[in-house]
């Protein structure tokens, strides 16, 4: 009898893993198994295999849900930050460069450059694009149009790149000679 019950449970498991319709173990059957297994009390259980559509929905998102509604940060630096907030978040920069003509001071880090004006972050720039960038903490691949679901179509196309606007901020993705993304800027479209 135990062999037959064990075989039934094995078949139940195989059927569930082959994608057959949902299979349930009723409380009565679970209690019966508990009695045969020699357990002192009757235990009940209910198991239902999730449907394939439930499993797929948890792993896929529609492109319109991926689209970023705002641009707040680029590689972890926000346009809203003061110089003190930048230093608290990123630490001491590798290099500080002051442009006497424009009045900007650039704090250069390995993964990002923050352009400051009067001790406030005025723009954020990324030169060394390897795999992608982080916008609002979300990693975005710049390869094979991986940015399209997040940015949508450009608001403006220039000879050197594409501009995406989420007022009041904008992102410009510069294209190199090969046409591939070469650099990215985050800036406030009204103050630039």
């Amino acid at each position: 009898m135990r062999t037959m019950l064990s075989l039934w449970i094995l078949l139940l498991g195989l059927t569930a893993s082959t994608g057959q319709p949902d299979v349930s173990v009723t409380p009565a059957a679970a209690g019966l198994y508990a009695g045969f297994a020699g357990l002192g009390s009757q235990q009940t259980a209910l198991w239902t295999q999730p449907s394939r559509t439930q499993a797929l929905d948890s792993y896929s998102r529609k492109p319109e849900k991926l689209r970023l509604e705002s641009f707040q940060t680029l590689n972890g630096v926000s346009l809203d930050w003061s110089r003190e907030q930048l230093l608290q978040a990123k630490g001491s920069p590798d290099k500080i460069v002051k442009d006497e003509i424009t009045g900007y001071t650039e704090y250069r880090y390995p993964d990002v450059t923050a352009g400051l004006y009067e001790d406030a972050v005025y723009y954020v720039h990324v030169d060394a694009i390897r795999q992608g960038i982080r916008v609002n903490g979300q990693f975005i691949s710049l390869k094979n149009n991986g940015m399209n679901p997040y940015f949508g179509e450009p608001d403006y196309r220039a000879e050197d790149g594409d501009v995406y606007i989420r007022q009041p901020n904008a992102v410009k993705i510069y294209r190199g000679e090969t046409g591939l993304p070469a650099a990215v800027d985050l800036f406030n479209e009204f103050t630039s």
Side-chain angles (χ1 to χ4, degrees):
M1 182 80 165
R2 278 191 186 188
T3 306
M4 195 159 99
L5 187 57
S6 297
L7 182 61
W8 180 80
I9 291 173
L10 178 65
L11 288 173
L12 177 65
L14 291 173
T15 304
S17 67
T18 61
Q20 297 296 322
D22 291 349
V23 177
S24 299
V25 175
T26 64
L32 179 66
Y33 176 72
F36 282 120
L39 300 173
S41 65
Q42 280 205 351
Q43 298 176 351
T44 60
L46 178 63
W47 177 81
T48 303
Q49 177 184 4
S51 70
R52 285 180 179 249
T53 55
Q54 288 172 333
L56 288 175
D57 285 345
S58 66
Y59 292 108
S60 63
R61 291 174 56 187
K62 295 181 179 179
E64 60 270 10
K65 291 184 180 180
L66 294 175
R67 188 173 188 273
L68 295 173
E69 297 301 320
S70 67
F71 299 137
Q72 300 301 316
T73 64
L74 176 61
N75 280 15
V77 176
S78 175
L79 289 177
D80 297 333
W81 285 352
S82 66
R83 183 175 79 71
E84 291 78 24
Q85 289 171 308
L86 174 67
L87 291 172
Q88 284 176 355
K90 297 293 284 182
S92 296
D94 292 348
K95 191 173 187 180
I96 298 175
V97 177
K98 175 125 174 121
D99 185 334
E100 297 299 329
I101 296 172
T102 63
Y104 295 120
T105 302
E106 288 188 343
Y107 281 53
R108 297 182 181 172
Y109 296 91
D111 65 333
V112 68
T113 296
L116 284 81
Y117 186 76
E118 296 181 356
D119 286 334
V121 176
Y122 194 72
Y123 65 88
V124 184
H125 179 81
V126 176
D127 257 338
I129 300 172
R130 291 182 180 89
Q131 300 297 319
I133 56 174
R134 285 177 291 125
V135 177
N136 301 350
Q138 173 70 47
F139 176 79
I140 299 172
S141 173
L142 298 179
K143 293 182 177 185
N144 302 323
N145 295 322
M147 64 196 156
N148 288 353
Y150 299 96
F151 293 116
E153 290 297 315
D155 293 289
Y156 299 102
R157 291 189 189 271
E159 287 183 28
D160 61 346
D162 298 328
V163 178
Y164 303 86
I165 299 173
R166 305 290 189 274
Q167 291 182 350
N169 299 333
V171 167
K172 181 169 185 178
I173 300 177
Y174 294 91
R175 303 217 176 265
E177 293 176 8
T178 63
L180 297 174
V184 179
D185 279 344
L186 170 65
F187 57 95
N188 183 298
E189 73 167 324
F190 298 117
T191 59
S192 295

